[in-house]
Amino acid sequence: MTSVAQVLVSGLLIGGIYALLALGITLVLGVMKIVNFAQGELMMVGMYLTLVLNTAFGLHPYVALPIVALGLFLLGVLIHAGLIRWVVDRGHTQQIVMTLGVGIILQSLALMLFGGSFQTVPVPPFLGGTISIGPIQVATARLAAFILATIVTVVLLLLLNRTLVGRAVRATAMDTDAATLMGIPVRRVYLVTMGIGAALAGIAGVMLTPLYPVYPTVGVNILMLGFVVVVLGGLGSITGAFVGGLIVGVVEALSGLWLGASLSQIVVFALFLLVLLVRPQGIFRGDVA
Amino acid sequence: MSEALVRTVEITKRFGGVAAVDSLDLEVREHEIVALLGPNGAGKSTLFNLIAGSMPPDGGRLEVFGRNVTRLPAHKMCVLGVARTFQIVRPLAGMTVLDNAMVGAFAKTASVREARARAFDALELVGLGAVTAQLASGLTLGYRKRLEVARALASQPRLLLLDEMMAGLNPAELDLFVAILKDVRDSGVTIIVVEHVIHAVMQLAERIVVLAQGRKIADGDPREVMASREVIEAYLGDGYAVS
Amino acid sequence: MKRQGGLNIVLLLVSLVLVGVFTAVSAAAPIYVGGMIVTTIIYAALATSWNVVGGFAGQLSLAHAGFFGLGAFTSSILYVKLDISPWIGLVIAIIAGAAVAFLIGVPTFRLRGPYYALATLALGIILYSLSVQLNSITGGHAGMSLPPTPSWANMTFLQQWPYALIAGIYLLICLGVGVWIVSSRLGYQLAAVREDEEAARALGVNATKVKLIAGTISGALAAGVGTIYAQYVLFITPDSVLGTAVAIEIIVFAVVGGSGTVFGPLLGAVLLVPVGQVILREFGGALPGLHTLVYGIVVVIVVLLFPRGIAGLIGAAQRRIRGRGVRA
C-alpha cells in the first residue's frame, strides 16, 4: 500500500529528470530566446544512444553518460550551426516551425533505424533496485537521477555565476546587442548554449532509461512536461528549472495517486495553463541564473 | 475660441518608485500644433503614451474630445480619433504601402472600397502616391516615416500624435515633413509632437511645453519658452541636434 | 491585396473545376488513386482551416488536431450511440468546434508567439487525454468503429468518388471562407496583427477580437473535416485523430505551401500528401517513418530558404516581373 509520503518521495525524485530536461529548454530560451520544440527528441536520441552503447559495448547507462552527453553536445552544435542559427533573428513563427521540423526529422530517423517498438535497456537494477530509507522505499534509479540533477544544477549555476564564460553567457541572455558591443562572441555563445542544451537533454535521457522504455515518440509528452517546468520555474531561470522540476514531479505523483494516471496528465497540463495565464513569469526571475 | 481638445488633469505614471510623469496638467486646444520638449528622461514619451492610450495612468485623468478616456485602450483611442506614430517606425513589413494605409483607414470604416479611397488620399497627402504597390519592407527610412504618418492619417484622426518623427531625416526631408504637417493641421487635425530637432519645432509649433523630471517647467510661445532660464538650465549638459 | 482578390477568385474557380475533375478521376481510377485523392483533399481542407488562425492571424496553433478529433468524435458518437445522421453530425461538429475554439481562444490569445503555441499544444494533449479517459463514450485507446452501411443519408459509401466530392465541396467552402476573409476588413486587420500586433492596436485594430474571430472560424472548419474523415475511414482512435503528429503535419503542409495565402496550404497538401502516401506504400514496411522524414526535411529547407512557402516564391517572382521591389 503506497503511502502519501512514499508517493511524494518518488515524485520528488523523478522531478530530477524533469528538471534536467527543463534545464536544457530554459538555458536555450534564456540565452537565445528560442523555444526548442525538439528538446524531447534530443532526449529520445540520448536514450537510443544509451541503448546502442549498451547492446554494442555492454556499457551501463551511467557509465555511458559522459559519452552520450558529449555526443548530444556535438549534435546540438551541429543542429545549431546548420539550421537554427539562420532563424535566430527571424520571427518566432519560423523558429517554432524550424524546431518542429528538426523534431520530426529526429523522430523519423529513430523510427527508421530502430522501428517503433518499445525497447528497454537490459541492465540489472542499480544497487538492487530499491533501498529503504526508513519506511520509504526509494527506487535507486530515481535517486540517482535526482542526485545527478542536483549536481548538474549546481555545476551550471557555478559555471554561469563564477566563470568568465558563464558571465558571457548571462550577458548575452540579458542583452544581445550590448554583449556584442562588449566584444562577446555572441554567435559562439549561441553555439555552445545549444550544445549544452542538447547535452542536458541527453543526460535526462540516460537517467530515464532504467525507468522508462525507449521508443521514437517518447520525447513528445515528456517535452510538454519540460515546458510545464520551465514556465512554472521561470523562463530562463536555472534554479527555477530545478525547483519547478521537483514541484511538477510531486504534483504528477500525487494526482496520479488520487486521480489515476491519465487524469494526472490533465492536472499537470491544466496547472501549466493556469501558470501561463495567471503568473507567466513563473516562480523565479529569469536572466539565466 | 476653441475648447480644450485634450486635457490631462494631474495625470501621473510611476515606474517602480519613480514618477515618470508627476501630476501633470496639460491642455491642448483644437487646431493647435503643440510641441513637447524636454531632456532625456523628462517624461515626454511617457506622457505621449498616456495620451495615446498605450498605457493607463496611475493617477489623474485624461479627457479627449470632452470625454473621460482615462483607461481606454489604444485601439479604442484610435477609433475615437486619436492616432499616433512610433518613435522607431513600425511598418507592417510584409504588406504593401497601400495595405498599410488601409489598415489605418479600417479604424473608421468597414467598407473596403472606402478604406482604399481614404488610404490613397492619405498617401497622396504625404507624397507616397507613386509607390502604393510597393512592399513596406522595401522603403527607405524617410519613406517609412511618411508611411507611418499616412497610416495614422488614413484613420481620419482629430488628434495626431507624432513621436520624434524628425530624427534621422536630412534637411530636405525635414522641410518636406514640416510642410506636410502644416497641411495636415490646415485640414482640421490637432497635432502634438514630441521632438528633439529644435529647428523643425521652431518652424512648426505654435506652442511649446517643456517637461523636466515628469513636471511641466514651461508652456507658451515658442520663442519665449526657448529663451527662458529654466528651460536652458534643464537642457544644460544634454547634447541636442540643433540643426 | 486588390490584385490578389481577383487572382483569388480565379483560383477558386480553378479549384472548383479541379474538384470536379478529381471526383471523376477517383470514380474511374483504381482504388488507391482514389484513396490518395480523398486523403489529399481532406488534409488540404484541414491545412486550409488551420491557416485561418495560423497563417492569416499568425497564431501557430498546435491544437488543431484537437478540433479535427473533436469533430470526428462528436459526429461519430452521435451517429453510433444516438443514430443521428452524419450530415446533422457535421453541423453539430462544426458548432462544437467553434464553441471549443472560442473558449480556448479567450484565455490563450492574450499570450504571445511561442507561449500561445505551447498553450495550444497543452490543450491538444488535454483533449487527447480526455478522449482516452472518457472511454465509455469514445472507446478509449481502442477507438470507435462506425457502421459500414453505405447510403447518402449515412454519408457512407463503397466507392471513393462520393467522398472526393463531399470533401472537395468542403474544401471549396474552406477556400471560399479564406478568400472572403483575405479581401475583407477582417483580413487586413488580421494581417496587421500578424505583422506587428502593437502597431495594429495603434491603428485601431482590436487584436484580441479579430484573433478570436479567426480562431473560432478556424476551429469550426477543422472540426467539420474531422466528421468527413470519420465517415471515410469508419474507424477512429484518439491516436489517429488527436495525436500531435496530425497537428504538426498540417502545419508542415501549410508552411511549405505558403501560410499567409489562401491557396498555399492546398498547394502544400497537394505536393506532400501524395508523395508521403507513395513513400508509405513503397517503403513503409522496410523503412517506416521515411515519409515523415521527407516532410521534416522539406519543411526545414522551406523555412531556411523560402519561408513564405511556394506561394511566396510565386508571389515574389510576380513582383520581380512587375518591378515592385522584392520582399526582404
Side-chain angles (χ1 to χ4, degrees):
Chain A
M1 193 56 212
T2 42
S3 66
V4 175
Q6 173 75 59
V7 167
L8 203 70
V9 169
S10 291
L12 199 73
L13 296 182
I14 200 136
I17 294 191
Y18 300 155
L20 283 168
L21 192 66
L23 282 169
I25 298 176
T26 214
L27 190 65
V28 170
L29 184 55
V31 175
M32 298 167 65
K33 313 289 183 277
I34 289 186
V35 176
N36 187 2
F37 279 87
Q39 190 77 358
E41 273 66 53
L42 289 171
M43 188 195 78
M44 179 264 297
V45 170
M47 290 177 86
Y48 271 109
L49 189 55
T50 311
L51 181 69
V52 164
L53 288 172
N54 181 267
T55 33
F57 303 107
L59 291 178
H60 189 283
Y62 298 162
V63 175
L65 183 72
I67 305 177
V68 174
L70 186 63
L72 263 295
F73 178 85
L74 290 171
L75 180 62
V77 164
L78 217 74
I79 291 177
H80 180 79
L83 302 172
I84 308 285
R85 73 159 152 145
W86 306 111
V87 296
V88 169
D89 289 323
R90 302 197 204 161
H92 54 78
T93 304
Q94 294 192 33
Q95 290 166 1
I96 295 174
V97 177
M98 174 65 89
T99 53
L100 282 175
V102 169
I104 296 175
I105 292 177
L106 292 173
Q107 245 186 63
S108 309
L109 284 171
L111 189 58
M112 281 170 57
L113 291 171
F114 299 102
S117 55
F118 284 36
Q119 303 186 47
T120 42
V121 176
V123 284
F126 190 55
L127 292 180
T130 49
I131 52 180
S132 304
I133 301 182
I136 305 211
Q137 302 284 79
V138 172
T140 50
R142 290 188 184 222
L143 186 61
F146 178 79
I147 293 175
L148 188 70
T150 315
I151 296 176
V152 168
T153 306
V154 170
V155 167
L156 269 178
L157 283 172
L158 285 173
L159 264 171
L160 287 168
N161 286 310
R162 299 286 165 87
T163 69
L164 198 60
V165 174
R167 234 170 278 161
V169 170
R170 278 167 52 219
T172 311
M174 276 184 236
D175 190 330
T176 316
D177 293 323
T180 315
L181 289 172
M182 286 195 273
I184 294 176
V186 165
R187 264 181 274 173
R188 215 174 300 163
V189 169
Y190 284 172
L191 200 67
V192 170
T193 304
M194 198 67 211
I196 296 180
L200 287 166
I203 294 175
V206 170
M207 302 316 287
L208 193 58
T209 48
L211 296 164
Y212 210 75
V214 188
Y215 53 99
T217 50
V218 69
V220 177
N221 271 21
I222 306 251
L223 176 76
M224 214 38 237
L225 279 170
F227 281 126
V228 177
V229 172
V230 169
V231 167
L232 183 63
L235 308 160
S237 165
I238 302 288
T239 324
F242 183 72
V243 171
L246 301 186
I247 296 179
V248 170
V250 167
V251 168
E252 189 195 38
L254 286 177
S255 44
L257 176 69
W258 292 326
L259 301 169
S262 40
L263 270 178
S264 75
Q265 280 244 306
I266 299 180
V267 167
V268 172
F269 295 145
L271 171 69
F272 171 69
L273 289 170
L274 202 65
V275 174
L276 255 189
L277 296 171
V278 169
R279 193 188 158 85
Q281 64 267 40
I283 301 178
F284 293 90
R285 251 203 66 198
D287 282 344
V288 198
Chain B
M1 167 63 198
S2 15
E3 268 234 344
L5 200 72
V6 180
R7 181 188 287 137
T8 72
V9 180
E10 291 178 10
I11 205 164
T12 305
K13 181 72 184 175
R14 287 186 206 93
F15 293 112
V18 182
V21 170
D22 196 351
S23 205
L24 200 132
D25 292 327
L26 175 70
E27 265 190 29
V28 175
R29 286 176 287 281
E30 202 166 5
H31 300 315
E32 268 195 301
I33 299 183
V34 173
L36 275 183
L37 264 49
N40 283 328
K44 308 185 297 295
S45 287
T46 309
L47 179 60
F48 186 91
N49 282 314
L50 286 170
I51 298 177
S54 343
M55 56 171 80
D58 293 317
R61 212 162 69 239
L62 174 68
E63 288 171 11
V64 166
F65 314 149
R67 290 175 48 169
N68 184 340
V69 294
T70 306
R71 300 196 95 80
L72 211 60
H75 71 267
K76 289 202 178 143
M77 288 296 270
C78 181
V79 171
L80 192 59
V82 178
R84 65 158 300 166
T85 63
F86 288 91
Q87 188 172 344
I88 302 177
V89 286
R90 306 178 79 134
L92 302 170
M95 298 166 73
T96 64
V97 166
L98 179 62
D99 290 344
N100 265 266
M102 281 174 75
V103 174
F106 277 123
K108 287 286 182 66
T109 173
S111 148
V112 176
R113 196 161 303 171
E114 183 60 40
R116 190 169 294 136
R118 294 184 191 185
F120 263 119
D121 288 342
L123 290 167
E124 288 282 355
L125 191 66
V126 302
L128 288 179
V131 293
T132 55
Q134 190 161 350
L135 282 180
S137 55
L139 296 177
T140 61
L141 181 67
Y143 274 50
R144 288 187 187 197
K145 294 210 166 199
R146 285 199 242 170
L147 176 58
E148 193 98 346
V149 176
R151 238 174 31 183
L153 288 177
S155 70
Q156 304 200 328
R158 285 177 68 186
L159 174 66
L160 181 61
L161 305 171
L162 300 172
D163 197 352
E164 301 198 31
M165 266 282 120
M166 309 296 182
L169 297 178
N170 62 50
E173 289 170 324
L174 263 170
D175 289 336
L176 181 63
F177 250 101
V178 169
I180 291 174
L181 291 176
K182 284 192 174 158
D183 283 340
V184 168
R185 189 271 313 267
D186 291 340
S187 73
V189 181
T190 309
I191 303 178
I192 302 179
V193 294
V194 167
E195 256 321 322
H196 283 313
V197 181
I198 309 294
H199 147 72
V201 167
M202 297 311 281
Q203 290 184 51
L204 200 52
E206 297 153 8
R207 182 153 70 94
I208 292 183
V209 173
V210 182
L211 301 184
Q213 289 172 330
R215 297 228 173 90
K216 201 162 61 170
I217 64 171
D219 181 344
D221 172 76
R223 246 146 284 276
E224 281 170 25
V225 165
M226 293 315 285
S228 95
R229 195 122 182 272
E230 294 96 339
V231 171
I232 296 177
E233 272 178 8
Y235 272 87
L236 265 176
D238 284 74
Y240 275 112
V242 183
S243 20
Chain C
M1 264 152 133
K2 177 187 180 179
R3 280 199 187 82
Q4 198 64 22
L7 177 65
N8 279 339
I9 303 283
V10 168
L11 287 173
L12 199 58
L13 291 170
V14 168
S15 305
L16 178 68
V17 169
L18 285 176
V19 166
V21 165
F22 278 106
T23 304
V25 167
S26 62
I31 291 196
Y32 79 89
V33 171
M36 204 148 67
I37 292 175
V38 175
T39 308
T40 303
I41 297 179
I42 287 179
Y43 271 104
L46 195 52
T48 303
S49 69
W50 175 87
N51 198 36
V52 172
V53 77
F56 296 170
Q59 309 298 309
L60 237 69
S61 163
L62 286 165
H64 266 61
F67 301 121
F68 181 61
L70 177 72
F73 272 107
T74 301
S75 65
S76 301
I77 291 170
L78 291 173
Y79 183 34
V80 167
K81 312 263 174 172
L82 298 175
D83 238 341
I84 296 181
S85 159
W87 295 102
I88 300 184
L90 174 66
V91 173
I92 297 181
I94 291 177
I95 296 175
V100 173
F102 181 83
L103 288 171
I104 286 179
V106 168
T108 57
F109 279 129
R110 292 163 25 196
L111 301 170
R112 287 171 302 134
Y115 307 111
Y116 172 78
L118 283 174
T120 54
L121 183 62
L123 281 161
I125 297 181
I126 289 180
L127 281 168
Y128 173 87
S129 301
L130 276 174
S131 74
V132 169
Q133 187 69 10
L134 300 167
N135 54 10
S136 53
I137 311 179
T138 61
H141 273 296
M144 291 180 70
S145 290
L146 279 70
T149 37
S151 80
W152 275 93
N154 292 340
M155 212 199 284
T156 312
F157 313 96
L158 287 173
Q159 318 94 313
Q160 299 287 329
W161 71 262
Y163 287 115
L165 182 63
I166 295 173
I169 293 177
Y170 196 85
L171 172 64
L172 286 170
I173 294 175
C174 292
L175 290 169
V177 168
V179 168
W180 169 75
I181 290 179
V182 147
S183 49
S184 72
R185 179 189 190 207
L186 178 64
Y188 283 87
Q189 294 190 323
L190 281 173
V193 168
R194 179 187 69 220
E195 295 286 331
D196 188 334
E197 185 165 329
E198 208 196 326
R201 283 187 210 268
L203 290 168
V205 178
N206 187 341
T208 313
K209 183 175 112 177
V210 301
K211 282 196 276 190
L212 211 50
I213 294 177
T216 306
I217 294 177
S218 179
L221 290 172
V225 181
T227 299
I228 298 177
Y229 175 80
Q231 293 302 126
Y232 178 54
V233 295
L234 294 178
F235 176 60
I236 54 175
T237 68
D239 286 291
S240 68
V241 295
L242 284 164
T244 42
V246 174
I248 296 178
E249 260 171 43
I250 55 186
I251 297 182
V252 169
F253 301 151
V255 168
V256 168
S259 63
T261 65
V262 179
F263 291 89
L266 168 60
L267 198 57
V270 163
L271 272 149
L272 292 177
V273 173
V275 167
Q277 296 265 292
V278 167
I279 293 178
L280 198 57
R281 186 192 330 284
E282 300 298 312
F283 303 100
L287 292 173
L290 184 60
H291 76 288
T292 48
L293 180 66
V294 168
Y295 288 165
I297 294 178
V298 168
V299 84
V300 162
I301 292 178
V302 166
V303 171
L304 273 181
L305 298 176
F306 42 103
R308 299 210 121 190
I310 299 178
L313 275 182
I314 299 175
Q318 277 181 324
R319 246 189 303 275
R320 235 193 218 105
I321 294 174
R322 290 206 200 101
R324 298 270 190 233
V326 183
R327 170 94 176 76

